């Protein structure tokens, strides 16, 4: 009965800190690394928000098999695609209930109206919720879904058809992504009547395995099992996200039994974790990239010679040793080597301060310049220690005469200001959401992604854009690969980013945790988790 003993210690702590007191329940505590920016994944692009919202509260039409990239049915039980690739027709699952909360009791089941309502919020400026809570749908816009989805047609209450304006090879996989979560039209209508539409994103209602109960900002989130979940009730009674930004503190909480599973363990703690018989460490190659983007709309980074000089100046091999403790590879391309279409022939920038100085001189900056670098305020798998990395970059650039001021903000502010392009240089990274190269090359580097906010280099290259747009209109993987490989060559020549690393992803958990699987997308799902 180890789990019960663990819970006793856990409950005592939570009674003091977050008010959890019911020792009879099977409560799972996840020590997360950051606060969600919202509880509606339509409005977000960050992992902490997806983990706290889409994977706990909501479902999508399709999903990915746990621990893999295989597309499986979810709210849609089947689908067909027209021969020309322009129509996707979905048969929806019947008898699915939205969650009952303190403020909402559903009077009908999920149906086609909820699908239309959810997507039209992002697509249609006249939708009553389009401008609620900022009205920024970064993922949806950066993937040009507003242009790709020509119409959404209700065939009957449980059949719906997406009509596309052009063939889109990754479309089905895109519908399994977090931003495509389905919200309740009935709940939205109630909130409008009550004059509180903003609660749709802060007091969420979905069809998912757990029901949102309470959020204390920067401290904790509480959920309870959805006993009416259409795939069957979860094995856990309750889940608590204990928001713990410091990775060393997360490790201490894991050792003392205050957490069952921790996000993003620090590389410096891994050996101690592996040596502890009460802790299980999981790992896999990450579908990710960590990078330093240069704002190509601002001087001097509008000059490609400057960007190449910065790339040559940074000793990325030393970062792999010092920041990742060897648990990463130097990134050559913007997509990881495990992804199809990765270009093995890309010529990378070698660490060469002399070449960097020569390039700066040619660019008209023989004595260097002054700039800012924003350092990542949270530990992410693709960048576990932004501050330390910033200090190393600062030292490297000083050697070629570039004086760097390090700047940072809290995570939501960091993302919000980055979307507006207020930075000069910025650390960021990405973990893939659907296993398709388009999810990196288009979402992070496409021209439409500038306005959407996810292209923080604010780089728009017509030749690059033409290649990635051509690639996603065809379904033949071999032909798509040809386009993506050419696009990676252009990216490297133009150097809007310094590609830093592809990291190994780790999770550490109590040995009492059963049924947990690492996701290649870096998101967390606790539906199949149990405590023994």
């Amino acid at each position: 009965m180890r789990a019960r003993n663990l819970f006793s210690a856990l409950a005592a702590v939570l009674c003091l800190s977050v008010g959890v007191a019911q020792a009879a329940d099977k409560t799972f505590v996840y020590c997360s690394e950051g606060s969600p920016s919202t509880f509606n994944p339509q409005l977000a692009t960050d992992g902490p928000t997806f983990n706290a919202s889409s994977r706990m509260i909501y479902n999508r039409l399709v999903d990915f098999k746990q621990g893999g990239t295989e597309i499986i049915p979810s709210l849609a039980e089947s689908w067909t695609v027209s021969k020309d690739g322009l129509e996707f027709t979905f048969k929806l699952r019947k008898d699915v209930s939205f969650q009952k909360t303190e403020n909402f009791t559903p009077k009908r089941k999920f149906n086609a109206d909820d699908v239309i309502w959810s997507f039209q919020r992002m697509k249609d400026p006249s939708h009553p919720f389009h401008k609620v809570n900022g009205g920024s749908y970064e993922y949806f816009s950066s993937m040009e879904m507003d242009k790709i989805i020509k119409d959404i047609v209700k065939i009957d209450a449980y059949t719906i058809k997406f009509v596309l304006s052009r063939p889109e090879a990754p479309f089905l996989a895109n519908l399994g992504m977090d931003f495509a979560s389905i919200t309740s039209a009935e709940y939205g209508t109630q909130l409008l009547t009550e004059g509180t539409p903003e609660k749709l994103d802060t007091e969420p209602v979905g069809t998912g395995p757990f029901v949102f109960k309470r959020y204390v900002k920067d401290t904790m989130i509480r959920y309870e099992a959805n006993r009416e979940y259409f795939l069957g009730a979860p094995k856990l009674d309750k889940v608590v996200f204990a928001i713990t930004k410091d990775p060393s503190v997360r490790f201490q909480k894991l050792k003392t039994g205050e957490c069952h599973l921790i996000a993003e363990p620090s590389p410096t703690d891994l050996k101690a974790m592996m040596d502890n018989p009460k802790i299980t460490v999981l790992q896999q190659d990450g579908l990710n990239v960590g990078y330093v983007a240069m704002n190509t709309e601002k001087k001097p980074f509008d000059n490609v010679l400057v960007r190449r000089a910065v790339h040559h100046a940074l000793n990325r091999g030393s970062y792999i040793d010092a920041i990742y403790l060897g648990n990463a590879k130097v990134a050559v391309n913007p997509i990881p080597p495990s992804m199809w279409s990765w270009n093995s022939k890309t010529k990378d920038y070698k660490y060469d301060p002399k070449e960097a100085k020569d390039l700066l001189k040619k660019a008209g900056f023989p004595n260097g310049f002054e700039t800012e670098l924003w350092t990542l305020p949270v530990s992410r798998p693709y960048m576990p220690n932004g501050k330390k990395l910033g200090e190393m970059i600062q030292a490297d650039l000083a050697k070629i005469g570039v004086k760097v001021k390090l700047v940072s903000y809290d995570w939501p502010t960091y993302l919000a200001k980055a979307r507006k392009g207020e930075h000069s240089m910025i650390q960021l990274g990405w973990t893939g959401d659907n296993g398709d190269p388009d999810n990196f090359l288009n979402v992070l580097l496409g021209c439409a992604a500038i306005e959407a906010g996810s292209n923080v280099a604010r780089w728009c290259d017509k030749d690059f854009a033409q290649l990635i747009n051509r690639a996603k209109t065809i379904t033949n993987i071999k032909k798509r690969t040809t386009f993506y490989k050419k696009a990676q060559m252009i990216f490297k020549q133009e150097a809007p980013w310094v590609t830093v690393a592809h990291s190994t992803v780790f999770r550490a958990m109590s040995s009492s945790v059963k049924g947990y699987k690492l996701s290649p997308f870096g998101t967390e799902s606790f539906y199949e988790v149990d405590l023994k």
Side-chain angles (χ1 to χ4, degrees):
M1 300 301 290
R2 189 171 175 284
R4 296 297 179 190
N5 294 335
L6 180 63
F7 176 69
S8 297
L10 169 68
V13 174
L14 292 175
C15 284
L16 295 174
S17 59
V18 296
V20 177
Q22 297 182 31
D25 293 318
K26 189 179 286 188
T27 300
F28 175 82
V29 179
Y30 168 58
C31 280
S32 58
E33 78 280 33
S35 302
S37 54
T38 174
F39 282 93
N40 187 338
Q42 294 175 321
L43 298 165
T45 59
D46 61 295
T49 295
F50 291 159
N51 290 336
S53 60
S54 41
R55 299 293 150 179
M56 296 294 287
I57 300 165
Y58 300 102
N59 292 101
R60 291 140 295 282
L61 291 178
V62 298
D63 209 339
F64 299 100
K65 191 173 183 178
Q66 188 186 20
T69 60
E70 179 186 349
I71 299 171
I72 60 175
S74 185
L75 289 174
E77 58 185 10
S78 65
W79 54 86
T80 57
V81 184
S82 64
K83 288 184 179 178
D84 61 7
L86 292 175
E87 295 183 354
F88 287 69
T89 302
F90 295 89
K91 288 288 186 183
L92 304 182
R93 193 184 295 267
K94 297 178 180 176
D95 201 29
V96 175
S97 298
F98 278 99
Q99 298 150 357
K100 179 182 178 181
T101 68
E102 291 180 1
N103 300 317
F104 176 65
T105 301
K107 295 181 176 59
R108 66 166 176 81
K109 301 288 187 178
F110 156 79
N111 63 34
D113 293 334
D114 299 302
V115 179
I116 293 174
W117 194 85
S118 299
F119 278 89
Q120 290 293 35
R121 176 183 178 177
M122 296 183 281
K123 176 177 172 57
D124 182 2
S126 67
H127 189 287
F129 278 78
H130 185 74
K131 296 180 181 176
V132 171
N133 289 325
S136 175
Y137 308 100
E138 183 177 333
Y139 233 132
F140 188 78
S141 300
S142 65
M143 297 175 72
E144 297 186 272
M145 295 290 276
D146 50 342
K147 298 180 177 65
I148 293 166
I149 299 174
K150 183 179 179 181
D151 198 5
I152 309 174
V153 181
K154 178 181 176 182
I155 307 298
D156 59 44
Y158 293 97
T159 310
I160 197 159
K161 180 168 68 178
F162 283 77
V163 181
L164 309 189
S165 58
R166 65 181 190 232
E168 178 75 3
F171 185 72
L172 189 62
N174 292 348
L175 295 188
M177 293 167 60
D178 300 76
F179 78 90
S181 294
I182 303 300
T183 53
S184 167
E186 184 187 8
Y187 181 46
T189 301
Q190 175 184 309
L191 293 176
L192 276 180
T193 303
E194 295 172 350
T196 56
E198 71 280 359
K199 288 185 178 179
L200 187 80
D201 307 321
T202 58
E203 298 179 14
V205 170
T207 57
F210 294 96
V211 182
F212 173 83
K213 299 301 290 184
R214 187 184 176 205
Y215 173 47
V216 179
K217 190 176 187 303
D218 297 333
T219 302
M220 69 92 189
I221 314 166
R222 290 184 60 196
Y223 308 86
E224 289 186 359
N226 177 8
R227 298 298 174 196
E228 306 300 320
Y229 189 46
F230 63 88
L231 294 176
K235 299 175 180 67
L236 301 168
D237 297 302
K238 296 179 180 178
V239 175
V240 176
F241 280 35
I243 299 167
T244 312
K245 296 181 180 178
D246 188 328
S248 63
V249 175
R250 291 199 293 271
F251 178 35
Q252 292 304 313
K253 287 186 173 184
L254 181 63
K255 284 198 293 187
T256 59
E258 294 177 59
C259 305
H260 290 102
L261 188 145
I262 63 172
E264 318 305 344
S266 169
T268 58
D269 295 328
L270 286 173
K271 185 177 185 308
M273 291 177 182
M274 292 175 180
D275 290 342
N276 189 326
K278 296 179 180 179
I279 294 175
T280 300
V281 178
L282 303 177
Q283 70 179 77
Q284 68 180 15
D285 288 341
L287 198 69
N288 62 39
V289 62
Y291 60 88
V292 175
M294 291 165 274
N295 190 336
T296 60
E297 291 181 345
K298 288 187 175 180
K299 292 185 181 302
F301 300 112
D302 57 341
N303 187 327
V304 67
L305 297 178
V306 172
R307 301 197 297 267
R308 290 172 182 167
V310 170
H311 217 321
H312 275 299
L314 301 190
N315 188 354
R316 291 173 290 156
S318 69
Y319 308 159
I320 300 300
D321 295 335
I323 307 297
Y324 302 86
L325 301 186
N327 297 307
K329 302 171 184 173
V330 170
V332 177
N333 294 302
I335 62 174
S338 58
M339 179 166 280
W340 60 270
S341 82
W342 185 80
N343 194 338
S344 61
K345 296 182 179 178
T346 301
K347 185 179 179 183
D348 202 5
Y349 293 87
K350 294 181 180 178
Y351 173 58
D352 189 341
K354 182 180 181 305
E355 176 66 16
K357 284 184 178 179
D358 290 343
L359 285 168
L360 278 188
K361 187 176 181 180
K362 289 179 183 175
F365 297 95
N367 299 315
F369 54 87
E370 295 183 7
T371 189
E372 285 186 350
L373 169 64
W374 291 14
T375 59
L376 202 71
V378 295
S379 58
R380 304 296 297 148
Y382 46 72
M383 201 167 287
N385 192 332
K387 184 174 184 297
K388 185 173 181 180
L389 177 61
E391 291 168 350
M392 295 184 75
I393 291 173
Q394 185 181 47
D396 279 343
L397 290 180
K399 295 173 186 173
I400 64 168
V402 176
K403 297 178 181 177
V404 176
K405 178 183 178 183
L406 302 182
V407 176
S408 196
Y409 303 94
D410 66 83
W411 185 226
T413 303
Y414 190 88
L415 292 175
K417 293 172 77 69
R419 289 188 193 104
K420 297 176 184 175
E422 296 181 12
H423 54 282
S424 293
M425 298 177 70
I426 186 170
Q427 298 172 348
L428 261 180
W430 191 255
T431 298
D433 296 281
N434 64 8
D436 195 291
D438 183 77
N439 183 243
F440 283 75
L441 300 177
N442 188 36
V443 172
L444 304 180
L445 294 160
C447 296
I450 295 175
E451 185 177 353
S454 55
N455 181 346
V456 293
R458 306 182 75 82
W459 176 67
C460 178
D461 184 280
K462 290 182 179 178
D463 293 334
F464 177 89
Q466 187 176 35
L467 287 167
I468 60 172
N469 287 333
R470 181 78 181 93
K472 63 182 180 176
T473 62
I474 53 180
T475 55
N476 184 292
I477 295 293
K478 188 175 180 180
K479 290 182 179 177
R480 291 184 72 195
T481 295
T482 301
F483 290 120
Y484 286 137
K485 284 189 173 181
K486 290 180 180 176
Q488 289 168 72
M489 298 293 280
I490 292 173
F491 163 85
K492 205 64 186 182
Q493 290 165 7
E494 295 300 312
W497 301 352
V498 176
T499 48
V500 177
H502 305 297
S503 71
T504 303
V505 174
F506 295 91
R507 290 290 184 276
M509 61 186 187
S510 162
S511 55
S512 66
V513 177
K514 306 299 178 186
Y516 175 82
K517 289 184 179 178
L518 273 169
S519 165
F521 307 132
T523 50
E524 302 290 17
S525 173
F526 303 132
Y527 169 58
E528 298 188 35
V529 168
D530 199 359
L531 296 173
K532 300 294 185 182

